[in-house]
Amino acid sequence: MKRRSVVAMTVSAVALVAGLAMQEAHAQSNPLTLCWAAWDPANALVELSKDFTAKTGTPMKFEFVPWPNFADRMLNELNSHGTLCDVIIGDSQWIGGSAENGHYVKLNDFFDKNGISMDDFMPATVVGYSEWPKNTPNYWALPAMGDALGWTYRKDWFARPELKAEFKQKFGRELDVPKTLDELHDIAQFFQGREIDGKKVYGAAIFTERGSEGITMGVANFLYPYGFEYQAADKPYDMEGHVNSADAVKGLEAYKKLYDCCTPPGYSNSYMQENLDAFKSGQVALQMNWFAFFPGLYKDPNVGGDKIGFFVNPGEKVHGSQLGGQGISVVSYSKNQDQALAYIKWFATAEVQKKWWALGGYSCAKSVLNDPGFTATAPFAADFLKAMGEVKDFWAEPSYAQLMQAEQKRIHDYVVANQGTAQEALDALVKDWADVFKEDGKI
């Protein structure tokens, strides 16, 4: 009996080793490719994903594309039914087109089978990154990278006694984080053209880029607080009097006013990187940018640490910030869908989400964001949490690219090229968007 048991055990052990070897060979021959933009959070995800490989044996490959080329490169990949990407972290605006055109795997059944609940993620991120149609329980992505537009400021400049005294004498209040967009304008104007430490500085770095989405994302941080709405609450695609309301006009005028008075010279085509460069080089007192960049800025040896401060987008009539961020989806053309789904399941766990935040990613999980100690984990954590409760997003329609191009042109022509009035720009935008929706058969 003993001999037979030993033989049986030996055979079993050989079989086990052979099975493991086959599994390892299978994993090695089928790496999982994740596609995203090339930026700091992507580097954090590479580090995080080492844990997935260690746990499953599945090697990871990454295809990261610089932001200016990201949309064109990845949408071309999806539209051509390419098999490069197994999982993709795609922009929130892609969700409608990717769902309706069959690019993404619908995840409802997978979520149900694996106990993944959208109730475990912040509501704005579920609507923004996962749902199509919006506000329906149809899920095409897991919320992956929460983000919103916020602001950084030169905290060390704000703290200088002589500047504080001068500002208070001029404006009758303390030189401090602005509570309204009007106050933000006053601060930017106060610093515009001033000399600090022997160097001429400027008020604010804001988004003005024309080619992709820059100025649309930037101006949203002024339109939303003034009450701008994309459509009537009870009538889809009814934009008249909402997109071009009197309050929306005020918001657009306020953005142009800030651009005209308080930006660095020649600041006519700026987006994320240009703003980062302006702030890091000490050119500006205020900078508009995505929260995703704030960890890196805080670590910057020249402007980080106790020199930098952060604040959520100020309000006016209401509070509102432009939603950024992305969901993670399984590409329907992938030949490794089982492994891709395994990655989604792993990424959704509370333990992984906690580490994701610690490494510099922006978790959307309530287990992370609603933890009593969350706001103390980073100097920008409290503002991020507040912003994610106030965000709104651009259209996520399948025709979002045409809708975006129309706003880019109308807003840039008015703000930067100084053509026409704010009312004329928004009236024309309503017409542009109506033409797109008529072509789509939606109005």
Side-chain angles (χ1 to χ4, degrees), residues 75 77-82 93-106 132 140 330-333 396-402 440 442:
L75 290 176
E77 177 70 19
L78 294 173
N79 289 329
S80 65
H81 297 188
Q93 289 93 359
W94 302 0
I95 199 76
S98 294
E100 294 193 10
N101 294 318
H103 299 327
Y104 291 169
V105 173
K106 190 174 183 181
W132 188 260
W140 306 89
V330 176
V331 178
S332 62
Y333 318 115
E397 298 281 335
S399 297
Y400 99 91
Q402 295 97 301
D440 290 346
K442 295 190 173 181

Short mmCIF file of all heavy atoms in Angstrom, two decimals, residues 75 77-82 93-106 132 140 330-333 396-402 440 442:
data_model
loop_
_atom_site.label_atom_id
_atom_site.label_comp_id
_atom_site.label_asym_id
_atom_site.label_seq_id
_atom_site.Cartn_x
_atom_site.Cartn_y
_atom_site.Cartn_z
N LEU A 75 -8.99 55.20 -31.17
CA LEU A 75 -10.27 55.08 -31.87
C LEU A 75 -10.08 54.45 -33.25
O LEU A 75 -10.93 53.68 -33.71
CB LEU A 75 -10.94 56.45 -32.00
CG LEU A 75 -11.47 57.03 -30.67
CD1 LEU A 75 -12.01 58.43 -30.88
CD2 LEU A 75 -12.54 56.13 -30.05
N GLU A 77 -7.84 52.19 -33.79
CA GLU A 77 -7.66 50.78 -33.45
C GLU A 77 -9.01 50.09 -33.25
O GLU A 77 -9.24 48.99 -33.75
CB GLU A 77 -6.80 50.68 -32.19
CG GLU A 77 -6.58 49.28 -31.66
CD GLU A 77 -5.68 48.43 -32.54
OE1 GLU A 77 -4.93 48.99 -33.36
OE2 GLU A 77 -5.75 47.19 -32.42
N LEU A 78 -9.90 50.75 -32.52
CA LEU A 78 -11.22 50.17 -32.28
C LEU A 78 -12.05 50.10 -33.55
O LEU A 78 -12.68 49.07 -33.85
CB LEU A 78 -11.96 50.97 -31.21
CG LEU A 78 -11.37 50.93 -29.79
CD1 LEU A 78 -12.10 51.91 -28.88
CD2 LEU A 78 -11.43 49.52 -29.21
N ASN A 79 -12.05 51.18 -34.31
CA ASN A 79 -12.88 51.22 -35.52
C ASN A 79 -12.42 50.22 -36.58
O ASN A 79 -13.22 49.77 -37.41
CB ASN A 79 -12.89 52.64 -36.10
CG ASN A 79 -13.68 53.61 -35.24
OD1 ASN A 79 -14.64 53.24 -34.59
ND2 ASN A 79 -13.27 54.87 -35.23
N SER A 80 -11.14 49.87 -36.55
CA SER A 80 -10.62 48.89 -37.50
C SER A 80 -10.69 47.47 -36.97
O SER A 80 -10.20 46.53 -37.60
CB SER A 80 -9.16 49.23 -37.85
OG SER A 80 -8.32 49.10 -36.72
N HIS A 81 -11.31 47.31 -35.78
CA HIS A 81 -11.46 46.00 -35.13
C HIS A 81 -10.10 45.37 -34.85
O HIS A 81 -9.92 44.15 -34.97
CB HIS A 81 -12.32 45.05 -35.97
CG HIS A 81 -13.73 45.52 -36.14
ND1 HIS A 81 -14.70 44.73 -36.73
CD2 HIS A 81 -14.35 46.68 -35.82
CE1 HIS A 81 -15.86 45.40 -36.76
NE2 HIS A 81 -15.66 46.59 -36.21
N GLY A 82 -9.15 46.20 -34.48
CA GLY A 82 -7.80 45.73 -34.20
C GLY A 82 -7.74 44.89 -32.93
O GLY A 82 -8.57 45.03 -32.03
N GLN A 93 -15.99 60.05 -22.97
CA GLN A 93 -16.82 60.40 -24.12
C GLN A 93 -16.94 59.27 -25.14
O GLN A 93 -17.79 59.32 -26.03
CB GLN A 93 -16.26 61.65 -24.82
CG GLN A 93 -16.45 62.93 -24.04
CD GLN A 93 -15.25 63.24 -23.18
OE1 GLN A 93 -14.28 62.49 -23.15
NE2 GLN A 93 -15.30 64.35 -22.45
N TRP A 94 -16.07 58.25 -25.04
CA TRP A 94 -16.11 57.18 -26.04
C TRP A 94 -17.18 56.14 -25.73
O TRP A 94 -17.45 55.27 -26.57
CB TRP A 94 -14.77 56.44 -26.06
CG TRP A 94 -13.58 57.27 -26.36
CD1 TRP A 94 -13.52 58.61 -26.62
CD2 TRP A 94 -12.22 56.80 -26.44
NE1 TRP A 94 -12.22 59.00 -26.84
CE2 TRP A 94 -11.41 57.91 -26.74
CE3 TRP A 94 -11.63 55.56 -26.27
CZ2 TRP A 94 -10.02 57.80 -26.88
CZ3 TRP A 94 -10.26 55.45 -26.42
CH2 TRP A 94 -9.46 56.56 -26.72
N ILE A 95 -17.78 56.20 -24.57
CA ILE A 95 -18.59 55.07 -24.11
C ILE A 95 -19.80 54.82 -25.01
O ILE A 95 -20.15 53.68 -25.30
CB ILE A 95 -19.02 55.27 -22.64
CG1 ILE A 95 -19.45 53.95 -22.00
CG2 ILE A 95 -20.07 56.35 -22.48
CD1 ILE A 95 -18.31 53.05 -21.65
N GLY A 96 -20.44 55.89 -25.49
CA GLY A 96 -21.61 55.71 -26.34
C GLY A 96 -21.27 55.04 -27.66
O GLY A 96 -21.89 54.04 -28.05
N GLY A 97 -20.28 55.57 -28.35
CA GLY A 97 -19.89 55.00 -29.62
C GLY A 97 -19.33 53.60 -29.48
O GLY A 97 -19.60 52.72 -30.31
N SER A 98 -18.55 53.37 -28.43
CA SER A 98 -17.93 52.05 -28.24
C SER A 98 -18.98 50.99 -27.90
O SER A 98 -18.83 49.82 -28.27
CB SER A 98 -16.86 52.12 -27.15
OG SER A 98 -15.79 52.95 -27.56
N ALA A 99 -20.02 51.40 -27.19
CA ALA A 99 -21.11 50.47 -26.88
C ALA A 99 -21.94 50.18 -28.13
O ALA A 99 -22.19 49.02 -28.48
CB ALA A 99 -21.99 51.04 -25.77
N GLU A 100 -22.37 51.22 -28.81
CA GLU A 100 -23.27 51.04 -29.94
C GLU A 100 -22.59 50.41 -31.15
O GLU A 100 -23.23 49.74 -31.96
CB GLU A 100 -23.90 52.38 -30.33
CG GLU A 100 -24.83 52.93 -29.25
CD GLU A 100 -25.69 54.08 -29.71
OE1 GLU A 100 -25.72 54.34 -30.94
OE2 GLU A 100 -26.34 54.70 -28.86
N ASN A 101 -21.27 50.60 -31.26
CA ASN A 101 -20.53 50.03 -32.39
C ASN A 101 -19.91 48.67 -32.06
O ASN A 101 -19.21 48.09 -32.89
CB ASN A 101 -19.44 50.99 -32.85
CG ASN A 101 -20.01 52.26 -33.44
OD1 ASN A 101 -20.98 52.23 -34.19
ND2 ASN A 101 -19.41 53.40 -33.12
N GLY A 102 -20.16 48.17 -30.85
CA GLY A 102 -19.70 46.84 -30.50
C GLY A 102 -18.23 46.71 -30.17
O GLY A 102 -17.68 45.61 -30.21
N HIS A 103 -17.58 47.83 -29.83
CA HIS A 103 -16.14 47.77 -29.53
C HIS A 103 -15.86 47.19 -28.14
O HIS A 103 -14.81 46.57 -27.94
CB HIS A 103 -15.53 49.17 -29.60
CG HIS A 103 -15.64 49.82 -30.93
ND1 HIS A 103 -15.61 49.12 -32.12
CD2 HIS A 103 -15.76 51.14 -31.28
CE1 HIS A 103 -15.72 49.97 -33.13
NE2 HIS A 103 -15.80 51.19 -32.65
N TYR A 104 -16.77 47.43 -27.20
CA TYR A 104 -16.56 46.98 -25.83
C TYR A 104 -17.48 45.81 -25.49
O TYR A 104 -18.60 45.72 -26.00
CB TYR A 104 -16.88 48.11 -24.83
CG TYR A 104 -15.93 49.28 -24.82
CD1 TYR A 104 -16.27 50.45 -24.12
CD2 TYR A 104 -14.71 49.26 -25.50
CE1 TYR A 104 -15.42 51.54 -24.08
CE2 TYR A 104 -13.86 50.36 -25.47
CZ TYR A 104 -14.22 51.51 -24.76
OH TYR A 104 -13.38 52.59 -24.74
N VAL A 105 -17.00 44.94 -24.62
CA VAL A 105 -17.82 43.85 -24.10
C VAL A 105 -18.76 44.40 -23.03
O VAL A 105 -18.32 45.11 -22.12
CB VAL A 105 -16.93 42.75 -23.49
CG1 VAL A 105 -17.78 41.68 -22.79
CG2 VAL A 105 -16.04 42.12 -24.57
N LYS A 106 -20.05 44.09 -23.14
CA LYS A 106 -20.97 44.48 -22.08
C LYS A 106 -20.68 43.65 -20.84
O LYS A 106 -20.56 42.41 -20.93
CB LYS A 106 -22.42 44.29 -22.53
CG LYS A 106 -23.43 44.90 -21.57
CD LYS A 106 -24.85 44.82 -22.12
CE LYS A 106 -25.83 45.52 -21.18
NZ LYS A 106 -27.23 45.45 -21.67
N TRP A 132 -24.08 53.24 -20.62
CA TRP A 132 -24.68 53.67 -21.88
C TRP A 132 -25.89 52.79 -22.19
O TRP A 132 -25.76 51.58 -22.18
CB TRP A 132 -23.69 53.60 -23.05
CG TRP A 132 -24.34 54.26 -24.24
CD1 TRP A 132 -24.95 53.65 -25.30
CD2 TRP A 132 -24.47 55.67 -24.46
NE1 TRP A 132 -25.46 54.58 -26.17
CE2 TRP A 132 -25.18 55.83 -25.67
CE3 TRP A 132 -24.08 56.81 -23.75
CZ2 TRP A 132 -25.49 57.09 -26.18
CZ3 TRP A 132 -24.40 58.05 -24.27
CH2 TRP A 132 -25.09 58.18 -25.47
N TRP A 140 -20.46 49.10 -19.54
CA TRP A 140 -19.48 48.78 -20.57
C TRP A 140 -18.05 48.98 -20.08
O TRP A 140 -17.10 48.76 -20.84
CB TRP A 140 -19.74 49.63 -21.81
CG TRP A 140 -21.15 49.50 -22.31
CD1 TRP A 140 -22.23 50.25 -21.92
CD2 TRP A 140 -21.65 48.54 -23.23
NE1 TRP A 140 -23.37 49.82 -22.54
CE2 TRP A 140 -23.05 48.77 -23.37
CE3 TRP A 140 -21.07 47.51 -23.97
CZ2 TRP A 140 -23.85 48.01 -24.21
CZ3 TRP A 140 -21.87 46.75 -24.81
CH2 TRP A 140 -23.24 47.00 -24.93
N VAL A 330 -13.14 45.84 -21.60
CA VAL A 330 -12.61 44.71 -22.35
C VAL A 330 -12.95 44.91 -23.82
O VAL A 330 -14.12 45.13 -24.17
CB VAL A 330 -13.21 43.38 -21.85
CG1 VAL A 330 -12.72 42.21 -22.70
CG2 VAL A 330 -12.83 43.15 -20.39
N VAL A 331 -11.95 44.86 -24.67
CA VAL A 331 -12.15 45.07 -26.10
C VAL A 331 -12.76 43.81 -26.71
O VAL A 331 -12.26 42.69 -26.50
CB VAL A 331 -10.82 45.42 -26.79
CG1 VAL A 331 -11.02 45.59 -28.29
CG2 VAL A 331 -10.24 46.71 -26.19
N SER A 332 -13.84 43.98 -27.44
CA SER A 332 -14.58 42.83 -27.95
C SER A 332 -13.79 42.05 -29.00
O SER A 332 -14.12 40.89 -29.28
CB SER A 332 -15.91 43.27 -28.54
OG SER A 332 -15.71 44.14 -29.63
N TYR A 333 -12.75 42.65 -29.57
CA TYR A 333 -11.96 41.98 -30.60
C TYR A 333 -10.74 41.26 -30.00
O TYR A 333 -9.97 40.63 -30.73
CB TYR A 333 -11.50 42.99 -31.65
CG TYR A 333 -12.59 43.96 -32.03
CD1 TYR A 333 -12.48 45.32 -31.75
CD2 TYR A 333 -13.77 43.49 -32.62
CE1 TYR A 333 -13.51 46.20 -32.06
CE2 TYR A 333 -14.80 44.36 -32.94
CZ TYR A 333 -14.66 45.72 -32.65
OH TYR A 333 -15.69 46.58 -32.94
N ALA A 396 -21.57 62.16 -24.37
CA ALA A 396 -20.95 60.86 -24.60
C ALA A 396 -21.63 60.14 -25.75
O ALA A 396 -21.56 58.91 -25.87
CB ALA A 396 -21.02 60.00 -23.33
N GLU A 397 -22.29 60.89 -26.61
CA GLU A 397 -22.98 60.33 -27.77
C GLU A 397 -22.00 59.69 -28.75
O GLU A 397 -20.82 60.07 -28.79
CB GLU A 397 -23.74 61.45 -28.50
CG GLU A 397 -24.81 62.12 -27.67
CD GLU A 397 -26.09 61.30 -27.60
OE1 GLU A 397 -26.33 60.50 -28.51
OE2 GLU A 397 -26.83 61.47 -26.61
N PRO A 398 -22.46 58.74 -29.55
CA PRO A 398 -21.58 58.18 -30.58
C PRO A 398 -20.98 59.24 -31.50
O PRO A 398 -19.88 59.06 -32.02
CB PRO A 398 -22.51 57.23 -31.35
CG PRO A 398 -23.52 56.80 -30.34
CD PRO A 398 -23.75 58.02 -29.48
N SER A 399 -21.68 60.35 -31.68
CA SER A 399 -21.18 61.44 -32.53
C SER A 399 -20.42 62.50 -31.73
O SER A 399 -20.33 63.65 -32.15
CB SER A 399 -22.34 62.11 -33.28
OG SER A 399 -22.97 61.20 -34.16
N TYR A 400 -19.86 62.08 -30.58
CA TYR A 400 -19.24 63.08 -29.71
C TYR A 400 -18.11 63.83 -30.42
O TYR A 400 -17.86 65.01 -30.13
CB TYR A 400 -18.71 62.42 -28.43
CG TYR A 400 -17.25 62.13 -28.43
CD1 TYR A 400 -16.33 63.05 -27.94
CD2 TYR A 400 -16.75 60.94 -28.96
CE1 TYR A 400 -14.98 62.80 -27.97
CE2 TYR A 400 -15.40 60.69 -28.98
CZ TYR A 400 -14.51 61.61 -28.49
OH TYR A 400 -13.17 61.35 -28.53
N ALA A 401 -17.39 63.18 -31.36
CA ALA A 401 -16.27 63.85 -32.01
C ALA A 401 -16.74 65.07 -32.80
O ALA A 401 -16.12 66.14 -32.74
CB ALA A 401 -15.54 62.88 -32.93
N GLN A 402 -17.86 64.93 -33.53
CA GLN A 402 -18.40 66.07 -34.26
C GLN A 402 -18.90 67.16 -33.30
O GLN A 402 -18.74 68.35 -33.56
CB GLN A 402 -19.55 65.63 -35.17
CG GLN A 402 -19.13 64.68 -36.29
CD GLN A 402 -19.36 63.22 -35.94
OE1 GLN A 402 -18.82 62.72 -34.95
NE2 GLN A 402 -20.17 62.55 -36.74
N ASP A 440 -28.22 62.30 -36.96
CA ASP A 440 -28.28 61.03 -36.23
C ASP A 440 -29.71 60.52 -36.04
O ASP A 440 -29.92 59.43 -35.50
CB ASP A 440 -27.64 61.18 -34.84
CG ASP A 440 -26.14 61.35 -34.93
OD1 ASP A 440 -25.57 61.09 -35.99
OD2 ASP A 440 -25.53 61.75 -33.91
N LYS A 442 -31.99 61.89 -34.05
CA LYS A 442 -32.39 61.99 -32.65
C LYS A 442 -33.30 63.21 -32.39
O LYS A 442 -33.91 63.30 -31.34
CB LYS A 442 -31.16 62.03 -31.76
CG LYS A 442 -30.40 60.71 -31.82
CD LYS A 442 -29.32 60.57 -30.79
CE LYS A 442 -28.73 59.17 -30.82
NZ LYS A 442 -27.67 58.96 -29.83
#
